[in-house]
Amino acid sequence: MNIDLSGHVAVVTGAGSGIGRKVAGIMAEAGAQVAVADINASASDETVELINKVDGHAEAFEVDVTSLESIRELQASTSRSMGLCDIVVNCAGWNVGQPFLENNPEFIEHVVSLNLLGCIYMCREYLGPLVESGKSGWVVNVSSDAGRVGSLGETVYAASKGGVVAFTKSLAREMARYSINVNCVAPGPTDTPLFHLQPEKIQAALVRAIPLKRLGEPEEVANVIVFLASQRASYVTGQVLSVSGGLTMVD
Ligand SMILES: NC(=O)c1ccc[n+]([C@@H]2O[C@H](COP(=O)([O-])OP(=O)(O)OC[C@H]3O[C@@H](n4cnc5c(N)ncnc54)[C@H](O)[C@@H]3O)[C@@H](O)[C@H]2O)c1
């Protein structure tokens, strides 16, 4: 099944690494112009280089999604150099496992700000111009299975990702009248630098618990995100899809 994104402009946060980098690459391969947005400027540049090598079109942008001002600057810059974005992928995220009672306020606020508010403000800034243009569009938010079923040692992260799920569903209802589909992907344990921040014992235990008995590859999650950001998913909105090797099987 080919996915054709030619004529579309996508902004992908967290595109300097892991799942976001693969999303940017697959979207560019499918013909989209891709704004590669990340807090790590050299990582974004590397993603763009990879895309340019295969003749895709991408540009790197620096953004800190915990700052509304930075998101506004990103929106203005992508609009100036690439035009209207009709695909928004919120992939930037971070966490470190820690017992809840050891979480300090700075950690808690950072986790919520990055994983939940970053996603909310990206949508707030990008959807206004899209609605005004009258064009249809796609939003894919990256949650986590932690946000669907809970996760020991990831309590605040799970709360932020559960917030992404609720935000996605409500936003989908509001955006449907503008033909903007809003969906959410919930990755399970995926082989990226973020996953490897966890202690090895926990990594091994997670792999044992996965019915498919292995970690997900970033590309396997990215494929689903790209599908949900395409015309191939034209009748899908307000949904949460786990990509977790069967670790979670949620109704
Ligand atoms: N890897 C997993 O096992 C897993 C599981 C469930 C959910 N997720 C989610 O998938 C998404 C992608 O994670 P990944 O595994 O590819 O991680 P990753 O660490 O490989 O990539 C995350 C990217 O986000 C960027 N980033 C961090 N803070 C940022 C900020 N303030 N502003 C802009 N960019 C910022 C990082 O620089 C990095 O390039 C995240 O939302 C994560 O929570 C990952």
Side-chain angles (χ1 to χ4, degrees), residues 17-19 38-39 63-65 91 142 157 161 187-188 190 192-194:
S17 175
I19 297 167
D38 203 287
I39 198 168
V63 68
D64 177 356
V65 300
C91 202
V142 179
Y157 175 73
K161 293 296 194 179
T190 309
T192 69
L194 179 65

Side-chain angles (χ1 to χ4, degrees), residues 1-245:
M1 184 181 70
N2 285 335
I3 288 178
D4 182 8
L5 296 182
S6 43
H8 296 282
V9 182
V11 58
V12 183
T13 69
S17 175
I19 297 167
R21 172 173 280 178
K22 288 292 176 187
V23 170
I26 297 168
M27 284 188 165
E29 238 176 79
Q33 289 189 63
V34 184
V36 170
D38 203 287
I39 198 168
N40 182 336
S42 59
S44 295
D45 287 340
E46 269 176 43
T47 301
V48 169
E49 269 170 42
L50 290 170
I51 291 174
N52 288 344
K53 268 191 201 149
V54 292
D55 291 334
H57 184 101
E59 285 180 43
F61 298 87
E62 200 173 330
V63 68
D64 177 356
V65 300
T66 67
S67 153
L68 175 57
E69 198 191 335
S70 176
I71 289 176
R72 285 186 169 150
E73 280 167 17
L74 173 72
Q75 196 281 326
S77 322
T78 56
S79 155
R80 256 195 317 273
S81 67
M82 305 182 91
L84 182 78
C85 288
D86 58 351
I87 298 175
V88 179
V89 179
N90 288 302
C91 202
W94 176 85
N95 186 47
V96 170
Q98 197 182 60
F100 175 61
L101 294 182
E102 288 175 23
N103 292 165
N104 63 37
E106 291 73 29
F107 174 84
I108 291 170
E109 275 159 37
H110 183 66
V111 167
V112 174
S113 171
L114 170 49
N115 295 295
L116 178 57
L117 293 181
C119 168
I120 291 174
Y121 281 128
M122 277 294 294
C123 290
R124 182 69 186 80
E125 294 306 307
Y126 274 91
L127 291 180
L130 182 57
V131 166
E132 217 169 279
S133 76
K135 271 188 91 176
S136 56
W138 293 265
V139 175
V140 184
N141 296 323
V142 179
S143 176
S144 166
D145 269 346
R148 304 192 85 184
V149 299
S151 177
L152 186 71
E154 298 192 309
T155 300
V156 177
Y157 175 73
S160 68
K161 293 296 194 179
V164 170
V165 169
F167 172 66
T168 298
K169 291 178 181 175
S170 301
L171 188 65
R173 291 183 189 279
E174 279 200 43
M175 290 296 130
R177 77 198 67 171
Y178 307 113
S179 299
I180 298 172
N181 293 17
V182 186
N183 290 291
C184 181
V185 166
T190 309
D191 194 0
T192 69
L194 179 65
F195 177 78
H196 292 287
L197 291 178
Q198 303 192 63
E200 277 182 19
K201 250 173 77 176
I202 292 183
Q203 293 182 29
L206 278 167
V207 173
R208 277 197 303 276
I210 296 170
L212 291 182
K213 294 292 171 214
R214 63 176 177 86
L215 292 179
E217 291 298 326
E219 191 164 1
E220 293 178 298
V221 181
N223 281 333
V224 178
I225 293 172
V226 176
F227 163 69
L228 288 173
S230 78
Q231 197 55 37
R232 295 287 183 179
S234 52
Y235 203 52
V236 182
T237 197
Q239 303 305 305
V240 187
L241 184 45
S242 285
V243 184
S244 63

